[in-house]
Amino acid sequence: MTIQWFPGHMAKAKREVEEKLKLVDFVMELVDARAPLSSQNPMLQQVLQNKPKMVVLMKRDLADQKETENWISYFRDQSIPSLAVNVNEKADINKVIQLAKELGQEKMEKLKKKGIQPRPARAMIIGIPNVGKSTLINRLANKKIAKTGDRPGVTKQQLWIKVKKDFELLDTPGILWPKFEDETVGYRLAAIGTIKDQLLSLQDIVVFVIRYMQIHYPGLLEQRYDLSGETIDMLHIFESIGKNRGALESGGNVNFDKVSDLVLRDLRTGRLGRITLESPEDTRELEE
């Protein structure tokens, strides 16, 4: 299965990123902590080339803490500074600022040696849609600058934002790549709400999530929906969730679409528990 998704404004944004890259000292790439590799844009990695980069794992409060630590180690093993963030924690925001200052320090030292008056470091912030970029920008600037929303593609243009006196940030729209060759990547991104729900069957997305949880988080699944540990059949699982949670239609039959909406909402809001949908070991799967 190949998922096609490349609106015109995203193609334009890619060109603008390429043009503006020479104006910045480093890049701040945001990924979703629940799917850190799948939420990296491979097309942007090609565009960025050798530009210094830091990775910020967003929504850490929704992700499995142990897996988040594994992912931070994964990026650091590649000499990419990284940290995990909950945008509602001021300490986390300060850590982002500190890491950004450290990354910009090398550029400032070079300017000093050339006799040029140091200026604030300049960074470009990038990420796929709905990763929480606008919210992070507002927290960094300590005021509402970027538009925020719970749907992909809210930011449509680039703008510069000053973060105290520490550095300047160039915002860019969230950019997806033209297509997902690996259907697993598509399901992960759909599950966490990065791509529009209409691109895939909601029931198929939920089947993917349930199957993953049966292997990695069986206790959370059973606890949330009062399921028996022996429940394996997907039809039985959907019917059990529907009956337990009242996802019914007229006549008392289970409405599978309502069940799908319910499970995805529980996943995205954290009611299902702190869940990460891939681990560093999955990199082999994507690289093959």
Side-chain angles (χ1 to χ4, degrees):
M1 179 189 69
T2 298
I3 305 171
Q4 302 282 350
W5 168 257
F6 205 39
H9 73 82
M10 290 186 179
K12 180 183 177 184
K14 175 181 176 286
R15 291 194 300 270
E16 290 178 347
V17 166
E18 292 174 317
E19 294 168 3
K20 303 285 187 181
L21 201 56
K22 60 187 176 213
L23 302 177
V24 301
D25 305 314
F26 65 95
V27 171
M28 183 183 297
E29 182 178 21
L30 309 190
V31 299
D32 193 304
R34 296 166 295 176
L37 195 65
S38 292
S39 58
Q40 272 196 312
N41 187 332
M43 183 179 68
L44 281 181
Q45 308 312 309
Q46 298 170 7
V47 171
L48 298 179
Q49 297 180 346
N50 297 320
K51 183 70 70 171
K53 180 176 78 169
M54 62 182 280
V55 171
V56 181
L57 287 81
M58 300 290 288
K59 306 181 183 180
R60 69 168 178 81
D61 49 310
L62 297 175
D64 183 325
Q65 185 174 350
K66 184 177 180 182
E67 287 291 5
T68 297
E69 292 168 359
N70 291 338
W71 277 109
I72 289 175
S73 297
Y74 167 83
F75 287 118
R76 287 178 179 169
D77 286 346
Q78 299 181 60
S79 301
I80 301 174
S82 64
L83 75 168
V85 168
N86 174 356
V87 292
N88 295 315
E89 295 284 345
K90 190 172 181 179
D92 284 3
I93 302 303
N94 289 336
K95 288 176 184 176
V96 173
I97 293 174
Q98 182 58 38
L99 184 56
K101 286 172 64 177
E102 292 171 6
L103 227 59
Q105 191 62 36
E106 183 179 347
K107 177 70 173 184
M108 297 309 103
E109 293 297 331
K110 288 181 180 178
L111 291 178
K112 283 183 183 179
K113 289 179 181 178
K114 292 180 180 179
I116 301 174
Q117 183 68 28
R119 55 163 173 75
R122 293 171 184 159
M124 178 185 290
I125 186 167
I126 64 171
I128 63 176
N130 213 28
V131 77
K133 184 159 56 69
S134 296
T135 304
L136 178 63
I137 289 171
N138 290 335
R139 297 288 192 275
L140 289 170
N142 201 28
K143 55 185 174 181
K144 188 170 183 179
I145 295 176
K147 292 181 180 179
T148 60
D150 61 358
R151 68 188 191 282
V154 172
T155 306
K156 291 295 198 305
Q157 61 183 358
Q158 296 174 328
L159 28 121
W160 286 95
I161 298 104
K162 287 187 177 181
V163 180
K164 300 181 179 178
K165 296 180 180 179
D166 299 313
F167 63 97
E168 295 176 349
L169 206 54
L170 177 61
D171 184 21
T172 59
I175 308 173
L176 282 167
W177 50 109
K179 57 186 177 180
F180 305 125
E181 300 286 1
D182 186 339
E183 67 176 19
T184 304
V185 172
Y187 281 128
R188 287 175 185 140
L189 296 182
I192 61 178
T194 292
I195 61 177
K196 293 181 178 180
D197 290 338
Q198 297 92 324
L199 292 178
L200 287 166
S201 160
L202 283 186
Q203 292 182 28
D204 288 347
I205 298 168
V206 171
V207 167
F208 168 81
V209 170
I210 290 174
R211 283 179 176 158
Y212 188 87
M213 291 188 67
Q214 284 177 319
I215 298 171
H216 300 279
Y217 303 98
L220 294 180
L221 195 62
E222 294 162 15
Q223 179 181 349
R224 179 66 182 170
Y225 301 122
D226 298 322
L227 296 175
S228 165
E230 290 78 36
T231 305
I232 298 175
D233 179 74
M234 198 58 62
L235 177 60
H236 187 194
I237 289 173
F238 266 70
E239 289 181 338
S240 296
I241 294 174
K243 290 174 182 176
N244 291 341
R245 301 300 299 277
L248 307 173
E249 55 192 9
S250 57
N253 295 319
V254 171
N255 184 315
F256 286 2
D257 286 336
K258 286 184 178 180
V259 172
S260 300
D261 281 333
L262 186 150
V263 173
L264 284 181
R265 189 165 58 249
D266 283 351
L267 173 71
R268 294 169 182 174
T269 58
R271 293 191 187 100
L272 255 177
R274 297 181 64 164
I275 296 167
T276 298
L277 293 173
E278 63 183 350
S279 65
E281 287 74 25
D282 296 322
T283 58
R284 299 189 190 94
E285 169 193 326
L286 290 176
E287 291 168 354
E288 288 176 355

